[in-house]
């Protein structure tokens, strides 16, 4: 059910429309309400600028078949869920994920960047103007991504999406007290992105208590209204 969003609005009032809409994806073992509570300080910091949208989803996005070289069982369903969400409740300017949700946010960014690169490399890309082609449609299209305690997909089926640098502006949030392997995975994920920004905090596997660094990154994504995906449709609504 894509209706009845649990929406954490960072807005001054119900009459104020935010400049940015950010899709927020929960971690393994979380649900919409726990993620909304986790992000409440960030929502307050972005008041009047951004709307943090937490979809009503409570199950793991997928389950790994094993520890080493896993298959992500249920990942295809997760991607289709995001695609339907974007079609019915988008557009979204950015995506923010925590833990498994950060992996999903990174995978969505990788798919988007890979699709754009494949299209640009095609011999017939110039035919687009004549209406013969349309760009590949990834499940979600965003301008930026925030990955908190994230990691790249370890499913072999996704390797191709990470073979090129992911050209989506990104912030990677890493806790210095997080488990060493998870810190290493987060750093490895950041290296997959072009010009990735990395924010270290003193906590563990969590969103930092001090959200100013995340808020500052998101605030820098505010651009002219005509450059924001979906801005015209929001202005007309």
């Amino acid at each position: 059910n894509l209706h009845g969003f649990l929406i954490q609005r960072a807005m001054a009032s119900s009459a104020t429309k935010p400049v940015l809409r950010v899709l927020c994806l929960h971690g393994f073992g979380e649900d919409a309400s726990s993620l909304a509570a986790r992000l409440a300080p960030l929502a307050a910091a972005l008041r009047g600028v951004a709307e943090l949208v937490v979809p009503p989803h409570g199950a793991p996005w997928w389950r790994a078949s094993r520890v080493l070289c896993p298959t992500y069982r249920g990942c295809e369903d997760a991607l289709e869920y995001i695609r339907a969400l974007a079609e019915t409740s988008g557009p979204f300017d950015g995506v923010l994920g925590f833990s498994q949700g950060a992996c999903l946010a990174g995978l969505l960014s990788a798919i988007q960047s890979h699709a754009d690169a494949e299209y640009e490399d095609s011999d017939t890309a110039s035919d687009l103007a004549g209406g013969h082609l349309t760009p590949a449609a990834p499940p979600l299209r965003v301008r930026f991504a925030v990955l908190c305690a994230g990691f790249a997909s370890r499913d072999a089926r996704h390797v191709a999406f990470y073979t090129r640098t992911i050209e989506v502006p990104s912030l990677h949030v890493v806790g210095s007290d997080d488990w060493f392997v998870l810190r290493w995975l987060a750093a490895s994920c950041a290296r997959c992105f072009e010009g990735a920004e990395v924010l270290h905090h003193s906590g563990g596997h969590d969103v930092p208590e001090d959200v100013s660094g995340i808020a500052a990154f998101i605030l820098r994504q505010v651009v002219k209204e005509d450059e924001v995906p979906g801005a015209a449709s929001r202005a007309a609504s």
Side-chain angles (χ1 to χ4, degrees), residues 23 25 78-79 82-83 95 103-113 138-140 142 162 168:
L23 176 63
L25 306 174
L79 293 175
I82 297 298
R83 184 186 299 279
V95 60
C103 179
L104 177 55
L107 176 60
L108 289 163
S109 299
I111 293 172
Q112 172 184 315
S113 185
L140 182 70
V142 293
Y162 295 88
V168 175

Side-chain angles (χ1 to χ4, degrees), residues 147 152 170 172 174 185-198:
L147 279 60
S170 62
H172 303 257
V174 185
L185 289 173
S188 298
C189 182
R191 288 193 291 270
C192 295
F193 285 76
E194 176 72 25
E197 298 183 36
V198 179

